[in-house]
Amino acid sequence: MKKQFAVIGLGRFGGSIVKELNDLGMEVLAIDINEDKVNEFAPAATHAVMADTTDENALRSLGIRNFDHVIVAIGDNIQSSILTTLMLVEVGVPHITVKAQNDYHEKVLNKIGAHKVVHPERDMGIRIAHNLVSKNVLDYLELSDEYSIVELIAGDRVHNHSLMDLDLRAKYGCNIMAIKRGEDINVSPAADENLKKQDILIVIGADRDITRMEQDLFDDDSD
Ligand code: ATP
């Protein structure tokens, strides 16, 4: 059976989630207090309704507890975001993802029982900063304060070397999860796999180890 999603708040963030879920073939209920927003996103959603989700009766009458996953994408109005989240927790929605505006907002959302709190602007800022600092880092995903997954472009220093030669796990404590070469993806590559210039390596490790490895082996193309 298809998963049922509801997205509350149809700003840029909530709106893009609605569109993407719809493109992925999911059932999406789009909700906003503003009628223009509801009309704008009605074509992209399975249903679109106008409601103030801080009103408990309005929320219940939408049958919100029957949804598998509710995304709260109310931004500026932190009070509305918190109240809405609290009621979703109380009615027992199994998965609640909420967009936080700042660290205090995040703290409160975690305390009241949001299952996942996201900071799209902050996270995108971090990713872009990593990409700006080193052009060998294509993408960056923070797993915790210490650990990350990064995409690195292979340059001359690793060209034609096998993973065994480079011994990245022993020397840097980093694991290569996959290698992308053009359209091909080699997941869990074998130790005798030879790297080629322009390969994209998906690496998991501690931030300081990834940085060390990147400076030693992947910095040859930077200006
Ligand atoms: P983005 O950055 O994603 O564009 P934002 O952080 O600027 O969003 P807002 O525009 O403040 O966020 O809020 C997103 C949407 O949430 C708005 O369309 C707003 O009408 C809607 N919204 C705000 N309060 C409520 C509420 N109580 N019930 C339902 N929708 C609400």
Side-chain angles (χ1 to χ4, degrees), residues 70-189:
V70 179
I71 296 98
V72 182
I74 298 173
D76 293 344
N77 193 334
I78 291 180
Q79 188 176 325
S80 297
S81 156
I82 292 171
L83 254 177
T84 300
T85 306
L86 190 60
M87 286 189 286
L88 295 172
V89 172
E90 276 178 354
V91 298
V93 172
H95 299 283
I96 305 166
T97 297
V98 192
K99 171 183 153 167
Q101 279 300 85
N102 56 48
D103 292 344
Y104 297 114
H105 188 192
E106 175 171 13
K107 233 181 203 168
V108 176
L109 293 169
N110 283 323
K111 268 257 158 21
I112 62 175
H115 303 118
K116 187 167 184 196
V117 179
V118 293
H119 270 263
E121 290 93 351
R122 184 193 66 183
D123 294 348
M124 191 46 88
I126 293 173
R127 291 168 83 163
I128 290 175
H130 278 262
N131 185 243
L132 291 173
V133 167
S134 166
K135 66 178 185 179
N136 301 84
V137 178
L138 278 189
D139 207 351
Y140 170 88
L141 181 70
E142 190 180 68
L143 296 176
S144 71
D145 286 348
E146 277 176 74
Y147 290 89
S148 306
I149 296 176
V150 294
E151 281 190 349
L152 295 171
I153 308 178
D156 289 324
R157 288 193 216 169
V158 295
H159 180 68
N160 270 339
H161 286 281
S162 69
L163 294 177
M164 198 161 27
D165 282 350
L166 295 167
D167 208 8
L168 303 177
R169 197 176 299 167
K171 287 187 185 149
Y172 302 97
C174 292
N175 281 293
I176 308 289
M177 298 160 65
I179 299 172
K180 287 199 238 175
R181 186 169 296 156
E183 294 293 300
D184 295 332
I185 272 221
N186 179 355
V187 178
S188 297

Side-chain angles (χ1 to χ4, degrees), residues 9-13 32-33 37 51-54 73-76 99:
L10 304 172
R12 284 163 301 177
F13 178 66
D32 202 289
I33 199 169
K37 287 283 173 188
D52 177 354
T53 54
T54 60
I74 298 173
D76 293 344
K99 171 183 153 167

